[in-house]
């Protein structure tokens, strides 16, 4: 017989909170009723960004000492689109196969975690527990599009300030081995646009100093650097993706016709910078490459994140000590990592709040944003057990 927690998880997956038109209304209604059924205080904060508004759902379980800073359990409600023809079943049907694998967009990223929080709290409340610190749960929109109308305006609200957050948990990744991945930081995100100007003319001639010649030099420099970082990752067994810098060419723009040599061409790169990299030196390197490519080569940033804040992760930190000690009691080895992409927790760190990325999914392939995303129901239920250890440990961190 299926656990009611699994049933709720599958119900959440069936809500099509998928971009570009996420059904946030249904998600909010589902979460409102869920929180009230458990006995949590539920309220909304309206945020604005990108020319529209969204609702952030906040649930609160009051602690014994409201003067202490609170614990925040964060998740997001939105999911990325799917290629329907690449899925073996409806990505929003939450089909469960004979092995207990539940298929659906958001099973790993990250509707599982939102439900695990709630079901752990349901269990703890049934046991009559109450902890020293307030516990808040946030269900955030728009994480998958950069928090435009989600985390970015939310952290600037009075309502968030009033929550008096001391420490936050957010999403992580599955681990294919018998470990839990734990993320204490993220790589910096730079989207760079490089414009190359050159001599135009007829496509039948050998024109000197063209935009294409300059662009080739830039592309070669960038991809040579990419290859060095790739080899560095492959050569070191202890090196993880978050420890190196990735560069990918993602956009090419320019040209008027096949028989006209263009006066300018533009190339765009997605660069994820490891926190060990000196950002000023790296930008100077990009500027040097542009200068070496020739006159009329300039760069600009479409997005530039320079924050390299890392959450403390040694036993001297009371939050890390509580979290890691609880994990030791669970008996699962932790893999300490830098998150290779981006999550809402980066915005919490930037605002001065320590945050850990953690999704309790071991022995599970990493399938976020991938075809046939799934999570096994036993792994899902095990995650609830994990939070039943971790949440009390964090919520009882003594005053310091």
């Amino acid at each position: 017989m299926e656990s009611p927690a699994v049933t709720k998880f599958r119900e959440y997956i069936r809500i099509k909170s998928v971009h570009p038109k996420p059904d946030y209304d249904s998600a909010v209604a589902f979460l409102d009723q869920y929180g009230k059924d458990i006995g949590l205080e539920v309220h909304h904060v309206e945020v604005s960004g990108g020319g529209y508004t969204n609702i952030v759902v906040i649930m609160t379980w009051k602690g014994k000492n409201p003067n202490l800073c609170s614990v925040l359990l964060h998740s997001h409600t939105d999911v990325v689109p799917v290629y329907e023809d690449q899925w073996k079943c409806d990505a929003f049907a939450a089909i469960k196969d004979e092995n207990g694998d539940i298929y659906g967009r958001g099973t790993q990223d990250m509707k599982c975690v939102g439900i695990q929080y709630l079901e752990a709290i349901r269990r703890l409340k049934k046991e009559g527990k109450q902890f020293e610190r307030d516990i808040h749960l946030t269900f955030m929109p728009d994480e998958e599009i950069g928090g435009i109308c989600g985390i970015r305006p939310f952290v600037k609200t009075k309502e968030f300030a009033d929550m008096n957050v001391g420490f936050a948990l957010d999403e992580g990744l599955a681990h294919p081995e018998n470990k839990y991945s734990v993320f204490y930081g993220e790589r910096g995100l730079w989207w760079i646009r490089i414009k190359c100007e050159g001599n135009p003319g007829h496509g039948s001639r050998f024109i000197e100093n063209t935009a294409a010649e300059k662009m080739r030099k830039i592309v070669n420099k960038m991809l040579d650097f990419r290859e060095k970082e790739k080899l560095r990752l492959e050569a070191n067994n202890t090196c993880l993706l978050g420890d190196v810098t990735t560069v990918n060419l993602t956009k090419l723009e320019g040209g008027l016709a096949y028989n006209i040599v263009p006066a300018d061409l533009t190339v765009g790169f997605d660069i994820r910078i490891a926190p060990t990299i000196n950002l000023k030196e790296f930008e100077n390197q990009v500027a040097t490459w542009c200068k070496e490519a020739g006159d009329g080569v300039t760069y600009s940033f479409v997005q530039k994140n320079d924050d390299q804040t890392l959450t403390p992760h040694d036993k001297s930190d009371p939050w890390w000590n509580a979290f890691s000690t609880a994990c030791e009691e669970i008996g699962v080895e932790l893999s300490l990592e830098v998150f290779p992409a981006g999550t809402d927790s980066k915005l919490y760190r930037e605002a001065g709040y320590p945050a850990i990325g953690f999704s309790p999914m071991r022995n599970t392939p990493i399938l976020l944003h991938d075809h046939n995303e799934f999570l096994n129901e036993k792994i899902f239920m095990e995650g609830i057990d994990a939070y039943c250890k971790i949440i009390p440990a964090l919520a009882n961190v003594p005053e310091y």
Side-chain angles (χ1 to χ4, degrees):
M1 186 174 179
E2 182 173 273
S3 164
V6 173
T7 302
K8 295 297 283 187
F9 176 40
R10 296 174 70 188
E11 185 179 346
Y12 195 20
I13 294 299
R14 293 185 185 111
I15 297 172
K16 292 188 176 181
S17 51
V18 56
H19 291 286
K21 294 182 179 180
D23 183 5
Y24 285 140
D25 288 345
S26 295
V28 168
F30 170 80
L31 292 165
D32 281 354
Q33 190 59 53
Y34 206 148
K36 290 171 185 175
D37 288 346
I38 293 174
L40 299 174
E41 298 176 13
V42 181
H43 68 282
H44 297 165
V45 175
E46 187 175 276
V47 293
S48 298
Y52 58 98
T53 60
N54 277 328
I55 294 296
V56 178
V57 178
I58 301 176
M59 303 181 191
T60 300
W61 185 9
K62 290 290 187 181
K64 298 175 186 177
N65 190 346
N67 294 320
L68 295 177
C69 56
S70 65
V71 174
L72 175 60
L73 308 177
H74 179 91
S75 66
H76 64 83
T77 57
D78 57 324
V79 299
V80 296
V82 301
Y83 292 94
E84 294 180 4
D85 61 331
Q86 298 294 320
W87 281 67
K88 61 183 181 182
C89 59
D90 184 341
F92 298 97
I95 299 296
K96 183 172 70 172
D97 68 15
E98 64 276 7
N99 297 318
D101 294 334
I102 300 166
Y103 287 85
R105 179 58 88 219
T107 48
Q108 291 190 20
D109 183 18
M110 63 170 298
K111 290 185 174 180
C112 54
V113 172
I115 301 299
Q116 287 167 334
Y117 290 156
L118 288 164
E119 289 301 320
I121 287 174
R122 185 199 299 274
R123 191 183 301 176
L124 293 167
K125 284 178 70 68
K126 268 189 176 181
E127 293 171 358
K129 301 288 178 63
Q130 187 184 19
F131 309 110
E132 291 296 318
R133 297 174 183 271
D134 290 350
I135 298 169
H136 300 293
L137 297 86
T138 45
F139 295 86
M140 193 68 57
D142 277 14
E143 189 274 346
E144 297 292 5
I145 56 171
I148 295 169
C149 192
I151 185 70
R152 293 182 184 277
F154 176 69
V155 295
K156 299 175 184 177
T157 63
K158 181 180 182 300
E159 290 89 346
F160 173 67
D162 289 344
M163 290 164 66
N164 189 27
V165 172
F167 181 84
L169 281 183
D170 190 14
E171 66 182 315
L173 294 174
H175 199 295
E177 299 175 10
N178 191 31
K179 300 177 183 180
Y180 283 151
S181 292
V182 179
F183 300 93
Y184 57 89
E186 294 184 8
R187 296 191 295 180
L189 171 60
W190 285 11
W191 287 347
I192 293 182
R193 184 176 186 269
I194 299 178
K195 185 176 182 179
C196 302
E197 298 177 340
N199 294 329
H202 197 281
S204 63
R205 301 174 57 214
F206 284 115
I207 296 170
E208 299 294 331
N209 199 38
T210 64
E213 291 171 298
K214 298 171 186 178
M215 176 179 281
R216 181 178 66 171
K217 293 176 183 178
I218 289 294
V219 170
N220 286 345
K221 290 289 188 181
M222 284 287 191
L223 296 188
D224 285 348
F225 176 82
R226 179 187 190 274
E227 184 64 18
K228 288 179 182 178
E229 290 293 283
K230 181 172 178 283
L231 292 174
R232 189 161 71 87
L233 175 64
E234 294 171 348
N236 188 341
N237 290 334
T238 64
C239 192
L240 301 171
L241 184 58
D243 300 322
V244 299
T245 298
T246 53
V247 177
N248 283 292
L249 194 162
T250 52
K251 293 197 75 174
L252 286 170
E253 299 170 323
L256 295 175
Y258 284 103
N259 61 349
I260 300 175
V261 175
D264 60 80
L265 293 169
T266 301
V267 58
F269 295 94
D270 181 316
I271 307 176
R272 310 296 173 114
I273 306 174
T276 53
I277 294 291
N278 183 300
L279 298 180
K280 186 175 181 180
E281 290 179 3
F282 188 77
E283 185 174 349
N284 287 342
Q285 181 66 77
V286 172
T288 299
W289 289 339
C290 289
K291 185 177 180 179
E292 291 173 348
D295 60 297
V297 179
T298 57
Y299 70 93
S300 59
F301 290 95
V302 177
Q303 186 165 327
K304 185 185 185 187
N305 187 301
D306 284 346
D307 186 83
Q308 293 182 299
T309 304
L310 301 176
T311 297
H313 49 285
D314 60 75
K315 288 287 190 176
S316 65
D317 179 80
W319 296 109
W320 176 256
N321 182 56
F323 175 85
S324 60
T325 300
C327 290
E328 288 167 8
E329 293 175 2
I330 295 167
V332 179
E333 182 182 350
L334 299 182
S335 175
L336 281 175
E337 305 175 33
V338 172
F339 201 85
T343 69
D344 282 345
S345 59
K346 189 172 191 67
L347 276 295
Y348 288 129
R349 293 190 194 98
E350 285 182 18
Y353 303 94
I356 287 292
F358 175 70
S359 295
M361 299 181 287
R362 59 175 171 166
N363 301 310
T364 301
I366 300 172
L367 293 171
L368 77 168
H369 298 196
D370 205 344
H371 309 315
N372 298 312
E373 180 183 354
F374 77 88
L375 183 62
N376 184 270
E377 66 177 335
K378 290 181 180 178
I379 297 297
F380 169 77
M381 293 299 296
E382 182 185 83
I384 297 173
D385 296 337
Y387 283 119
C388 282
K389 291 277 191 182
I390 292 166
I391 292 171
L394 293 172
N396 278 331
V397 166
E399 188 172 5
Y400 60 93

